[in-house]
Amino acid sequence: MNDGAAKRVLIVAIISGLLFGFFPAIDLIVASLFYSPVLADFPLRLNLTLEVVRRVSNLLIWIIAAVSIFWAVIQAVLRRSKFAVARRTLIYLTVSMLLGPGIVVNVGLKNYWGRPRPIEITEFNGTERFASWWNPTGSCTANCSFVAGESATAFWAIAPASLLPLPWRTYGYIFAVAFGLFTGLLRMACGAHFFSDVIFAGIIIYYIVWLIHRLLFQAASSDLKR
């Protein structure tokens, strides 16, 4: 994970923030694509196939996490010459998962950033007022819309992707981003999240993973060169 990529993601973050901030109707327009005025509901949220796909997607990220952590443990045990690197890898994977999708997203933002979900607002037959992504004072009190929790967990796949051999790393990043967006699409289809919830879930997780990677690996690399 390099500084050049971090700068490009920062540009995406700024553009996204301004776009969804000045034109909040984008979120409503995208959400309306999944809403049926006739049924006064998001019909796909009752679709059994979609629910199965969602559960499989959620299971997949935990399989990825388990395999990645198991690999790091095996490296630490079997390759004593690489013990320090394997230990940092284990810390990197564990801390980024706990801090990113865990503490920052699901404990912090989703409980204290009071944005109601699409299915809860008056535009889609709910009772709450729509709130833009930047407004934390919405009427939701817990497990709110900003940011998308399941997407955040899926976007975390960029952490193990960053550890892949260089020829495979780009494919790993592509998979992680696509996986996060796909998981977000599933939740959007059910009226559970806005498009901006998904975009910012990816941005936030990227920077948490990038920061921890920088602290553990780039700082260690600098120390070795001294």
Side-chain angles (χ1 to χ4, degrees):
M1 305 188 79
N2 56 62
D3 294 344
K7 292 176 181 177
R8 290 191 290 273
V9 175
L10 179 60
I11 293 173
V12 172
I14 293 172
I15 293 174
S16 298
L18 293 173
L19 188 64
F20 287 107
F22 284 106
F23 305 101
I26 294 174
D27 270 331
L28 295 174
I29 292 170
V30 174
S32 70
L33 298 176
F34 304 101
Y35 180 75
S36 170
V38 175
L39 299 175
D41 200 354
F42 290 85
L44 288 176
R45 74 185 183 91
L46 303 175
N47 186 288
L48 180 59
T49 301
L50 198 70
E51 181 61 22
V52 170
V53 173
R54 177 194 172 194
R55 291 179 181 274
V56 170
S57 297
N58 290 339
L59 178 62
L60 178 58
I61 189 59
W62 292 112
I63 292 174
I64 292 172
V67 170
S68 301
I69 291 173
F70 178 74
W71 172 81
V73 170
I74 292 299
Q75 291 294 306
V77 171
L78 298 183
R79 302 182 65 182
R80 292 295 179 179
S81 61
K82 300 289 185 180
F83 180 79
V85 174
R87 182 180 61 184
R88 284 196 296 272
T89 299
L90 184 59
I91 294 172
Y92 167 58
L93 294 171
T94 304
V95 172
S96 62
M97 172 63 85
L98 291 177
L99 182 61
I103 296 173
V104 172
V105 172
N106 283 293
V107 175
L109 289 173
K110 291 186 68 62
N111 287 319
Y112 296 99
W113 202 280
R115 186 184 204 186
R117 298 173 184 271
I119 200 170
E120 297 172 335
I121 63 175
T122 55
E123 287 85 350
F124 302 117
N125 200 38
T127 59
E128 309 298 330
R129 292 184 62 183
F130 170 74
S132 297
W133 76 266
W134 50 265
N135 182 8
T137 61
S139 55
C140 178
T141 57
N143 193 26
C144 305
S145 191
F146 190 84
V147 290
E150 291 180 18
S151 289
T153 306
F155 278 120
W156 174 83
I158 64 175
S162 69
L163 301 174
L164 291 172
L166 195 55
W168 293 96
R169 198 171 301 164
T170 298
Y171 298 107
Y173 287 141
I174 292 172
F175 168 80
V177 172
F179 187 32
L181 292 174
F182 174 73
T183 303
L185 181 63
L186 293 178
R187 301 299 284 144
M188 288 163 57
C190 297
H193 284 292
F194 294 103
F195 186 30
S196 58
D197 296 331
V198 177
I199 297 299
F200 285 106
I203 291 170
I204 289 169
I205 293 302
Y206 172 82
Y207 274 109
I208 290 173
V209 171
W210 172 78
L211 178 61
I212 296 172
H213 185 279
R214 184 178 180 85
L215 291 174
L216 287 172
F217 294 103
Q218 292 179 251
S221 178
S222 298
D223 290 340
L224 291 174
K225 293 177 181 178
R226 292 177 183 175

